[in-house]
Amino acid sequence: MDRATLLAHDTLWGEEASQVVQDLHRLTDPERALYDELRDNRIRPGLWSEQERIGFGWVGAALAALSRRQSGSLAARFVRAVPARRRKLQRNRRSVRHSPGCFTQVVE
């Protein structure tokens, strides 16, 4: 995750009781700098961000920016598929019902 994404989604922050304090060797330099700040509690003690709740629009915009830099990349192919996926989700939204005490069920 990059710094802009973390800071833009501060409403999703939580507190992590037992932090990971090991080194992560496959991070880019900016990712490593942010990870070090999180690990060393320089932004907020025990800060935890639930990445799975970051909005699809935010992710799509980040991938679009990445695809402009790398036009033949996987990110570029994903960004081209987003409009079709969005239309499919909008069509399916009409066929979704919620059952009390259950996960959302899709009715076909």
Side-chain angles (χ1 to χ4, degrees):
M1 178 183 301
D2 65 359
R3 175 178 297 284
T5 303
L6 177 70
L7 297 178
H9 294 86
D10 61 342
T11 57
L12 304 178
W13 291 359
E15 188 169 323
E16 188 170 32
S18 70
Q19 286 183 274
V20 174
V21 293
Q22 66 191 33
D23 286 332
L24 301 176
H25 301 287
R26 294 184 175 199
L27 300 177
T28 64
D29 289 340
E31 290 169 337
R32 184 174 294 110
L34 180 58
Y35 175 71
D36 288 343
E37 287 187 54
L38 291 168
R39 180 180 59 183
D40 298 339
N41 295 310
R42 287 183 271 177
I43 297 174
R44 188 179 98 183
L47 187 139
W48 171 72
S49 179
E50 190 165 343
Q51 297 180 67
E52 294 81 9
R53 293 182 54 204
I54 293 172
F56 189 73
W58 184 276
V59 174
L63 287 172
L66 178 63
S67 72
R68 284 190 293 275
R69 290 183 296 223
Q70 302 171 359
S71 62
S73 70
L74 177 62
R77 291 193 303 269
F78 176 80
V79 169
R80 287 190 293 271
V82 167
R85 176 75 175 138
R86 185 172 292 139
R87 284 191 301 273
K88 183 177 179 183
L89 289 172
Q90 288 170 345
R91 281 194 311 268
N92 289 341
R93 188 171 290 146
R94 289 182 291 244
S95 64
V96 174
R97 71 172 177 204
H98 300 279
S99 300
C102 296
F103 291 103
T104 301
Q105 299 175 348
V106 174
V107 180
E108 301 199 20

